[in-house]
Amino acid sequence: MANFNYTALDGTGKTVSGAIEAANSQDAIGKLKTMGYYVTNISSGKTAAAPKSAPAAKQAQKAPAKKKAAGGININLPFLGGSRIKPKELMIVTRQLATLIGSGLPLLRALKVLEQQRKGGAAKVLNRVASEIEQGALFSEALAKFPSSFPRIYVAMVKAGEAGGALESVLSRLAEFMEKEAKLKGKIKSAMAYPSVVIVVMIGILTFIMVKIVPTFTKIFEDMEVGDLPPTTVLLIKMSKLMAERSYLIIAFIFALAILYKVANKIKFTKYLIDKIKLKLFIFGPVISKTIVARFARTFATLITSGVPILQSLQIVRDTVGNEVIANAINEIRNRVREGEGISGIMMRTHAFPPMVTNMIAVGEETGAMDAMLEKVADAYEAEVDAAVAAMTSMLEPILIVCLGVVVGFIVISLFMPLIKIALSLSGGSGGGGGGE
């Protein structure tokens, strides 16, 4: 018989720990299950049995490896539609899991119930998470094995919920966080729908004019043996020939730009420059900066409220904020906080955050209610994002119309200038002939 130290969840989802005597780990897990516990971690303590011989010990060490090999290789290819829970579905799963645990259902049973309700990759991931827990892993450890389904913030908050025995409230908070993130992204996407449609239509009209209309006029000029064409007409004809005869070069150029942009986003220095330009872009800059501040405040508040240590929270926020300029500022804040400085003072020195944010965080530090202040900052900036998006949309519509008018006007003038020249020369020639008679 041997002693096993265990960590488990009781019927209410709270974490309990202790020691139990059993023949092996499976026997210990079985005994704990009969007591109403769901084991999340188990490790052997001092054993009362005689020590194993060296060959037997080596064989025991190899046994888990064989079992893992028998289970197959876990290959996760999300880009091919493999085992993965999509963000929208994860939001629903998290809300349902919080409800089930809040109703008194044990974690493992709740996961099994959710697995039966889902299909495809989501069901597979939930099944594997449940299997990991059955084998003795903590819930957060099981989630961490599927990074394509569960982001770092998710795993960190679940880990904090396990440590504090408040898994249900943490999952509810996570669901609210994801719902607000999805709502914010949805507003930006819906606001960009109309400008995107206008741009696509504009490109389609211009392509049709350049490929079909301009060549027709070019043939007319050749048939009428027009001499010197205006420079704008010559430029237009050359562009039309390029689009009609060598469109593959344009497509290759666009693909090259896209690849170059992706490569530049992988290099830290160039990504920093790109993100800095994004923050200063005309029209788009205010929306991007306000969105980043709102995400920073919401994520930071959610992590702190869930009990995640502040240094770990800052590290997660840094990795998920989505902008290298702000990420560098957060990294500076984290390094200074580690040395004992306050957050608000460092934020002011970085000049990466608006004064309102730093002032509210300073108040939060003084009153000991930083999480509440961060929530207020997030609410305020999400409202500002709405206003900035509305302003951006109202500005983009006339700008796009003016751009389309300028381009079409350039094409029309370039095409009709030679025709006007021909008409004037013909009228002048006919007038001169009439005077000769």
Side-chain angles (χ1 to χ4, degrees):
M1 300 291 284
N3 288 326
F4 291 90
N5 300 320
Y6 67 87
T7 304
L9 299 174
D10 62 13
T12 62
K14 292 184 178 180
T15 303
V16 294
S17 59
I20 191 170
E21 192 177 31
N24 51 50
S25 61
Q26 293 299 322
D27 185 29
I29 292 172
K31 287 183 177 181
L32 290 167
K33 284 184 177 179
T34 59
M35 295 166 61
Y37 293 153
Y38 285 85
V39 181
T40 58
N41 192 15
I42 191 164
S43 58
S44 60
K46 294 181 180 179
T47 177
K52 294 182 180 179
S53 61
K58 288 182 180 178
Q59 187 175 359
Q61 289 175 357
K62 291 180 181 178
K66 287 181 180 179
K67 185 177 180 181
K68 189 175 181 180
I73 300 172
N74 181 16
I75 299 176
N76 187 16
L77 300 175
F79 57 90
L80 293 178
S83 300
R84 178 175 179 265
I85 303 179
K86 296 179 181 178
K88 189 175 181 180
E89 193 168 16
L90 179 61
M91 179 177 66
I92 299 169
V93 167
T94 305
R95 176 64 71 189
Q96 292 175 340
L97 185 60
T99 303
L100 290 172
I101 293 175
S103 302
L105 207 64
L107 174 64
L108 195 59
R109 178 71 185 280
L111 288 170
K112 293 289 185 183
V113 170
L114 291 178
E115 178 195 341
Q116 293 170 3
Q117 294 177 354
R118 316 233 80 78
K119 295 179 181 179
K124 291 179 182 177
V125 172
L126 290 172
N127 177 264
R128 291 174 185 172
V129 170
S131 298
E132 293 288 340
I133 293 173
E134 284 179 326
Q135 292 172 15
L138 288 167
F139 186 33
S140 57
E141 292 172 346
L143 296 177
K145 295 185 179 181
F146 303 93
S148 61
S149 296
F150 305 100
R152 285 188 62 191
I153 182 175
Y154 198 102
V155 177
M157 286 179 63
V158 168
K159 189 174 182 180
E162 287 175 330
L167 189 59
E168 177 205 345
S169 61
V170 166
L171 288 171
S172 298
R173 201 172 293 120
L174 256 174
E176 290 173 7
F177 170 75
M178 288 188 287
E179 285 165 3
K180 288 177 180 177
E181 278 278 297
K183 186 179 179 182
L184 185 63
K185 290 178 182 177
K187 286 178 181 177
I188 296 172
K189 285 181 180 178
S190 61
M192 291 302 297
Y194 176 77
S196 300
V197 170
V198 172
I199 290 170
V200 170
V201 171
M202 185 169 66
I203 291 172
I205 291 171
L206 293 178
T207 302
F208 175 77
I209 291 172
M210 296 295 284
V211 174
K212 295 293 183 182
I213 306 299
V214 174
T216 304
F217 276 84
T218 304
K219 193 172 185 306
I220 293 172
F221 298 152
E222 290 173 355
D223 292 342
M224 298 185 71
E225 297 182 353
V226 178
D228 296 332
L229 293 171
T232 54
T233 308
V234 174
L235 176 63
L236 186 66
I237 290 171
K238 287 182 178 180
M239 290 172 63
S240 173
K241 285 183 179 179
L242 179 65
M243 291 182 68
E245 299 172 6
R246 297 187 178 182
S247 56
Y248 60 90
L249 290 176
I250 299 173
I251 295 171
F253 178 71
I254 293 170
F255 271 103
L257 280 179
I259 292 169
L260 182 64
Y261 178 78
K262 287 194 171 184
V263 170
N265 265 317
K266 298 292 183 183
I267 303 169
K268 193 169 183 179
F269 175 72
T270 50
K271 179 172 173 54
Y272 180 87
L273 293 178
I274 291 170
D275 288 344
K276 194 171 184 178
I277 292 169
K278 284 180 181 177
L279 294 175
K280 296 182 181 297
L281 280 175
F282 176 65
I283 299 177
F284 296 98
V287 176
I288 294 170
S289 60
K290 291 178 193 300
T291 304
I292 290 170
V293 171
R295 184 186 298 136
F296 159 79
R298 182 72 67 194
T299 307
F300 197 18
T302 305
L303 288 166
I304 292 174
T305 309
S306 301
V308 180
I310 193 163
L311 288 177
Q312 187 182 354
S313 297
L314 286 168
Q315 183 177 351
I316 293 169
V317 173
R318 180 196 66 189
D319 296 339
T320 57
V321 74
N323 185 280
E324 198 65 25
V325 177
I326 307 299
N328 284 357
I330 295 171
N331 194 51
E332 176 68 17
I333 294 168
R334 183 174 178 271
N335 292 336
R336 296 296 182 185
V337 168
R338 188 192 286 121
E339 296 173 3
E341 293 188 39
I343 293 178
S344 57
I346 315 164
M347 288 182 75
M348 289 179 186
R349 292 200 298 271
T350 61
H351 303 291
F353 297 91
M356 188 192 88
V357 178
T358 55
N359 289 330
M360 289 191 73
I361 288 177
V363 173
E365 282 183 314
E366 292 173 5
T367 59
M370 188 185 293
D371 53 348
M373 285 298 171
L374 285 168
E375 288 284 357
K376 290 180 180 179
V377 169
D379 292 337
Y381 269 84
E382 283 171 5
E384 287 196 23
V385 168
D386 292 343
V389 166
M392 179 187 69
T393 307
S394 62
M395 290 177 69
L396 276 176
E397 292 175 12
I399 288 173
L400 289 173
I401 293 170
V402 169
C403 288
L404 179 61
V406 168
V407 173
V408 172
F410 169 79
I411 294 172
V412 170
I413 292 171
S414 299
L415 291 177
F416 279 89
M417 278 176 65
L419 294 178
I420 294 169
K421 185 179 177 182
I422 293 169
L424 289 174
S425 63
L426 289 175
S427 61
S430 62
E437 288 179 359

